[in-house]
Amino acid sequence: MRNLTEANLSETVIAAMAGAKNARFKEIMTGLIKHLHAFIREVNLTEAEWLASIQFLTAVGQKCDEKRQEFILLSDTLGATTMKDIINNRKPPGVTEYTILGPFHRPDAPEFPLSGNIAADLPGEPAIVRGRVLAPDRSPIPNAMLDVWQSDAEGFYDLQMPDIKSTALRGVFHADAEGNYIFRTIKPSFYPIPHDGPVGQMLIAMGRHPYRPAHIHFIVSAEGYQSVTTELFASGDPYLDSDAVFGVRESLVVPFIRNDSKDEAERLNVSAPFYMVDYDFVLEPV
Ligand SMILES: [Fe+2]
């Protein structure tokens, strides 16, 4: 351990963990040390750059509190969260793809009957979201649960609205015995992830913007099937190809189709014009 060189340092640091009791911890730390050392060598990290890195990570930690998790933002914006999600949610073709949960899910969303309106009287363009919950053979899954949440027309979630005491733009629905679901809402907007901290500064330095394309979040679950955490993205959104957290999947991009019919609007209990979104969720058996 005294004649350390570029060539033997990594194996020396790894060997120092010989007494580690937890095999998985040791495996993870071995990989981290190998890649960290290789990274430092690859970019020829200078003293000043090393110090700037330490100061950046310190600032990321200092930005965290009960409501703000800057490290998760860092993971999301570097694609680390999506890489973790992809390797842990490999699905057969045709099954609804998993994508990022995000920080705005709440376990206390109210239950709504089918056709219920999660937007209440919030301003925005009315939208109807409907479809079925299906098995991979396209047979309906009865009574699946859909936990839904989204931003308002300005891109804010209820957790970010100072004058909303309870919940808004979120709800739990149960599909019927034939797998059908339908609910009323408003068209969500694209929005920026919190970018007033060190991660926002990093995005600027990278020449990136902080926006996510408009989307509706879902967790769809049913007995005997693997639940899926996912999002439906509005086709035509300007940020579909530059989502700040890399959550978009082509299979989850759906059209919000404008409908100007007053008769249709009346039948569906919305005002015209409104938007229709059709999407069938496909769950994988356990
Ligand atoms: Fe979101």
Side-chain angles (χ1 to χ4, degrees), residues 187-190 213-216 231-240 252-256 277:
K187 202 168 179 247
S189 169
F190 54 77
H215 57 272
I216 303 175
E231 302 175 20
L232 294 183
F233 298 89
S235 64
D237 188 282
Y239 297 110
L240 277 177
L252 302 174
V253 177
V254 294
F256 280 58
V277 179

Side-chain angles (χ1 to χ4, degrees), residues 101-104 149-151 157 191 212 215 217 231:
L101 172 71
F104 298 116
W149 68 106
Q150 67 167 77
S151 73
Y157 287 81
Y191 63 82
R212 297 211 64 206
H215 57 272
H217 292 266
E231 302 175 20

Side-chain angles (χ1 to χ4, degrees), residues 187-267:
K187 202 168 179 247
S189 169
F190 54 77
Y191 63 82
I193 58 164
H195 58 290
D196 59 342
V199 169
Q201 291 300 313
M202 179 192 77
L203 291 178
I204 291 169
M206 286 175 155
R208 288 169 55 184
H209 65 72
Y211 286 91
R212 297 211 64 206
H215 57 272
I216 303 175
H217 292 266
F218 291 86
I219 298 174
V220 183
S221 52
E223 209 168 317
Y225 293 85
Q226 294 178 30
S227 69
V228 66
T229 298
T230 194
E231 302 175 20
L232 294 183
F233 298 89
S235 64
D237 188 282
Y239 297 110
L240 277 177
D241 291 309
S242 60
D243 183 359
V245 300
F246 306 98
V248 178
R249 307 285 178 276
E250 182 64 30
S251 69
L252 302 174
V253 177
V254 294
F256 280 58
I257 297 171
R258 187 183 155 118
N259 189 325
D260 290 290
S261 162
K262 287 211 167 59
D263 291 347
E264 268 289 278
E266 199 171 323
R267 192 178 69 76

